[in-house]
Amino acid sequence: MKIVQTLWSKPGLNANWLDTRFHYLSWALSCLQLRKYYDNVELYTDELGKYLLIDCFKLPYTKVHITLEEVPYPTYLWAVPKILTYSLQTGPFLHIDGDAFLFKKIPEDFVYAHDFIFQNEEIDSSQKDGFYFKMFTDLFTIKPQEALPEWIRAIDMKEIRAFNAGILGGSNMAFFKEYTAAAFAFLAEEKTTIEQFKQPQFATHMSEQVLPAYMKKDPRFKSAVLFEPDHLPGFYIPAAETIFDEAHFPQTPLSYDYTRLDEFGISPYGRKYIHLTGTKKRSLLVCKQIAKRLLNDYPEYYQRIIDFFDHTKTPVIPHPPAYLSKRGDIKNNSSSFAEKRSQLKPENIFRRTVKVCEFFNNEKAPAFPDATSLQHWVQVQTALVSEPTHQLKIKDIFTYESLRYEFSAHLTNQQLEEIEERCKYSNDLIHDPLQVSDDQLILRTHPYSKVIHSRWNWWDGYIYLERDIEEEAINMLIYPDKTTYSIAELRISDNNVKLLQFFADGNTMFKAFKAMLPFMNLHKNHEELQLEFFKDVVYLMSNGVLFADLPDLSRPILQPIMAEVSGSPEPV
């Protein structure tokens, strides 16, 4: 059996990631984890994809197929190259996306035993605003359902079923020939219809994910699923203790737990399968997890990618396709916090403040002023809002973003180099709840971090665009990220704040656990309290805000410059 992956570079090098570097750090981690468990991992790509992944980054694929140099489809049909890869297979295989990571082998016998297998089923029963419901509502306004192919005519809008193809494969090549032929027929025959979609990229979801869900009903084919269904538009998230136990494969689908990271982050001690879907690719916290895992486990590959996109030079792409320059995929990166800070425009620094003002005033905000006029600008915008609570929200988000910006002024590259090294050596150090009893290992809080208390939750970058959020006092920990020279935001609990305060000067987990007991739920037994404390510590360590003093790190710990906890935001 072989593992296959598909990279089509034509849609651009960034692929909607927060930063192009993270896109390729993800590819490296995905490939290297697969090679850890499988001897045969092959890449289907174009010439530029081969140049990057093989020639530059030297990823250890066992074979490379140049099959995507001339793909006769628009780039918004991003899944078409994957469907083409499926069609080219001649024996049992698994296709695994480049934003998916395995930390335990999927048994080959399981693949051989089924005609086709897939990651999980997606079920949209919203009948209103669900992902697939809106997709097919758009289609049916362009062309009647009864005039479309059989697999679309069979769709029940009360419960639309599809597959997530983060993992897709099997052993029956007749199924894949039939499936891919039907997918390409749909894309060809309905080309004019697809071009009229509000979002034509939806055609990829239909052809790659809805079509095989219809074929699952065919008694000729024996299928299997790895994870329980996702009932759209919400998510079913089980307890963090759920593990990827390969003994479950032949009997029961595993819980749908790949949608978020547990307290370990991206780690062999955490989820055994992770697929970064949607907005997770634009989350700095998630991207930091990828970078940290690759740096820890495969440092030479990490360094090759970071060096390729180094700020001091433009990456060398021989005969670069014209679309690269149009999309701005290749660009120099900032070399320091000071440089990054000087490049940012005020409207970007205070983007959430601008969005909240526009939301409440129901109109586009006027041009943002220079730094000396910021408070006056906010006062004017606040005066346009009649509701007192809305005025307080504007002041709250402006105060939050002001504190965040002021925090960045104190950061230097040298400080980040020191802390990054210490956090790297602390990675995976704490992985067993029994370690709570350790009275030797000293843990410390990230010295260049700051907790900001806010009356409303401004953490979710989309929440204020969708609705008038309810009051929800939160603690936001901000701290620097060296890869992007930007500020990471980590929402933490009241007990997390107490933990960070306790570890500020260095302390053991055993002493911290005893100190935290009065603040914990004493209705739980000792083992439950110990596990709760352990998860809090691991969560903070995996996100790089706690690190350990190790014997081989002889240099003295740096003194904090911004480790205080702020008070409640003052009105502007």
Side-chain angles (χ1 to χ4, degrees):
M1 187 190 81
K2 67 179 178 179
I3 305 296
V4 297
Q5 295 193 289
T6 303
L7 173 61
W8 188 30
S9 69
K10 190 174 181 180
L13 299 189
N14 180 271
N16 204 36
W17 282 78
L18 176 69
D19 183 286
T20 303
R21 287 167 291 186
F22 293 124
H23 181 206
Y24 292 97
L25 293 174
S26 172
W27 267 102
L29 182 59
S30 182
C31 168
L32 291 161
Q33 283 299 119
L34 290 172
R35 281 306 316 272
K36 186 174 181 179
Y37 300 112
Y38 299 97
D39 294 330
N40 191 5
V41 181
E42 301 184 6
L43 175 67
Y44 289 73
T45 187
D46 47 30
E47 291 288 355
L48 180 55
K50 174 186 176 295
Y51 174 74
L52 291 170
L53 297 193
I54 307 301
D55 301 339
C56 294
F57 307 146
K58 303 188 185 305
L59 298 187
Y61 287 101
T62 52
K63 191 172 183 180
V64 181
H65 306 264
I66 307 299
T67 56
L68 306 179
E69 194 63 21
E70 299 293 338
V71 177
Y73 292 91
T75 55
Y76 59 72
L77 295 177
W78 48 266
V80 164
K82 289 174 60 180
I83 299 173
L84 178 61
T85 298
Y86 305 153
S87 73
L88 296 174
Q89 302 313 305
T90 58
F93 74 98
L94 279 181
H95 186 286
I96 299 179
D97 287 352
D99 54 6
F101 316 112
L102 273 181
F103 288 93
K104 195 168 188 177
K105 184 175 183 177
I106 298 174
E108 296 185 19
D109 289 348
F110 181 69
V111 180
Y112 290 129
H114 297 91
D115 293 322
F116 72 102
I117 64 174
F118 52 93
Q119 179 178 287
N120 68 280
E121 195 167 21
E122 297 178 334
I123 303 171
D124 184 350
S125 55
S126 67
Q127 300 184 51
K128 183 181 179 183
D129 56 1
F131 180 74
Y132 289 101
F133 186 88
K134 289 192 292 186
M135 181 190 307
F136 282 101
T137 298
D138 185 21
L139 172 60
F140 299 152
T141 59
I142 300 169
K143 192 169 186 177
Q145 185 172 6
E146 58 272 16
L148 289 158
E150 165 59 28
W151 58 273
I152 297 180
R153 295 200 302 271
I155 288 172
D156 179 359
M157 292 293 280
K158 295 179 181 178
E159 188 175 86
I160 305 171
R161 292 176 176 264
F163 292 161
N164 188 304
I167 296 178
L168 192 141
S171 61
N172 187 335
M173 297 305 102
F175 166 82
F176 287 97
K177 294 299 182 187
E178 188 172 323
Y179 156 44
T180 56
F184 285 124
F186 166 71
L187 295 172
E189 294 166 8
E190 302 300 334
K191 180 175 181 293
T192 303
T193 304
I194 292 168
E195 291 170 347
Q196 297 177 61
F197 280 11
K198 293 176 183 176
Q199 298 186 66
Q201 69 271 22
F202 282 165
T204 62
H205 296 279
M206 295 178 181
S207 55
E208 187 194 23
Q209 299 178 188
V210 178
L211 169 57
Y214 167 77
M215 295 180 67
K216 180 176 181 289
K217 303 173 185 177
D218 192 323
R220 292 178 298 159
F221 303 123
K222 180 183 178 182
S223 65
V225 59
L226 298 180
F227 297 92
E228 290 179 358
D230 168 17
H231 293 273
L232 298 174
F235 295 106
Y236 164 66
I237 305 291
E241 293 82 20
T242 302
I243 62 170
F244 193 90
D245 184 352
E246 60 187 31
H248 290 184
F249 280 115
Q251 296 86 25
T252 311
L254 298 178
S255 294
Y256 180 71
D257 60 2
Y258 69 88
T259 58
R260 71 174 185 184
L261 307 181
D262 62 11
E263 65 274 6
F264 286 99
I266 298 177
S267 165
Y269 297 106
R271 308 280 191 214
K272 302 308 177 187
Y273 173 67
I274 296 165
H275 183 197
L276 300 179
T277 58
T279 58
K280 290 181 178 61
K281 298 175 186 177
R282 301 198 65 78
S283 163
L284 179 55
L285 291 177
V286 172
C287 288
K288 279 170 64 68
Q289 290 279 348
I290 296 171
K292 188 173 73 166
R293 178 52 47 196
L294 196 66
L295 175 61
N296 190 80
D297 294 357
Y298 308 102
E300 67 277 17
Y301 292 95
Y302 170 87
Q303 202 58 53
R304 282 193 201 114
I305 295 169
I306 294 300
D307 288 347
F308 184 82
F309 292 104
D310 187 270
H311 69 277
T312 62
K313 61 181 183 296
T314 297
V316 177
I317 304 289
H319 311 296
Y323 60 77
L324 285 188
S325 59
K326 293 178 182 177
R327 301 179 68 93
D329 283 315
I330 299 296
K331 59 183 179 181
N332 293 338
N333 298 295
S334 302
S335 60
S336 68
F337 262 95
E339 182 181 329
K340 178 72 174 282
R341 197 170 186 269
S342 67
Q343 293 171 349
L344 291 174
K345 297 178 180 179
E347 57 267 31
N348 293 330
I349 298 168
F350 294 90
R351 61 182 177 81
R352 282 173 275 197
T353 301
V354 173
K355 291 295 184 183
V356 170
C357 289
E358 291 178 341
F359 180 87
F360 290 137
N361 291 326
N362 199 28
E363 63 181 15
K364 185 173 178 59
F368 216 67
D370 58 44
T372 61
S373 307
L374 288 177
Q375 291 216 7
H376 177 70
W377 184 93
V378 173
Q379 288 168 354
V380 170
Q381 291 298 302
T382 304
L384 297 174
V385 178
S386 57
E387 173 61 47
T389 302
H390 293 175
Q391 293 179 348
L392 289 174
K393 288 182 177 181
I394 293 173
K395 294 174 182 178
D396 193 53
I397 182 56
F398 179 65
T399 301
Y400 174 74
E401 292 195 299
S402 296
L403 291 170
R404 189 179 184 275
Y405 183 57
E406 291 166 6
F407 170 78
S408 67
H410 298 267
L411 301 168
T412 68
N413 287 18
Q414 180 185 358
Q415 295 160 353
L416 267 62
E417 294 283 354
E418 293 277 355
I419 297 305
E420 184 179 69
E421 184 178 352
R422 292 172 183 269
C423 289
K424 173 189 173 183
Y425 284 108
S426 301
N427 207 21
D428 298 333
L429 194 63
I430 307 298
H431 53 79
D432 187 335
L434 294 178
Q435 290 176 282
V436 172
S437 302
D438 190 325
D439 200 22
Q440 300 297 318
L441 185 66
I442 302 295
L443 302 184
R444 295 183 187 273
T445 299
H446 193 308
Y448 310 117
S449 60
K450 180 182 180 70
V451 178
I452 302 177
H453 303 296
S454 178
R455 288 179 62 180
W456 286 274
N457 179 11
W458 306 114
W459 181 40
D460 184 343
Y462 297 90
I463 195 167
Y464 51 85
L465 299 179
E466 298 175 352
R467 59 189 173 89
D468 185 6
I469 62 174
E470 299 297 325
E471 185 167 355
E472 180 190 7
I474 67 165
N475 308 305
M476 191 68 68
L477 183 77
I478 58 174
Y479 59 110
D481 171 62
K482 182 179 177 295
T483 304
T484 58
Y485 293 104
S486 56
I487 303 299
E489 299 179 347
L490 182 69
R491 184 176 178 178
I492 58 176
S493 67
D494 290 342
N495 277 359
N496 289 162
V497 174
K498 292 182 177 69
L499 263 179
L500 292 174
Q501 291 171 332
F502 191 80
F503 285 124
D505 296 322
N507 233 309
T508 66
M509 281 203 294
F510 181 67
K511 291 179 181 177
F513 178 56
K514 290 197 298 183
M516 288 298 297
L517 280 174
F519 306 104
M520 301 176 75
N521 183 354
L522 297 181
H523 294 293
K524 296 182 178 180
N525 61 40
H526 182 79
E527 288 74 20
E528 291 171 330
L529 291 171
Q530 192 176 51
L531 181 60
E532 179 183 326
F533 174 83
F534 167 78
K535 287 185 176 183
D536 281 344
V537 170
V538 170
Y539 174 69
L540 296 171
M541 290 193 76
S542 70
N543 281 289
V545 294
L546 270 184
F547 56 82
D549 280 358
L550 295 180
D552 59 333
L553 294 180
S554 56
R555 282 173 290 184
I557 188 65
L558 297 169
Q559 292 302 308
I561 56 170
M562 291 287 287
E564 79 278 6
V565 178
S566 75
S568 298
E570 295 295 327
V572 176

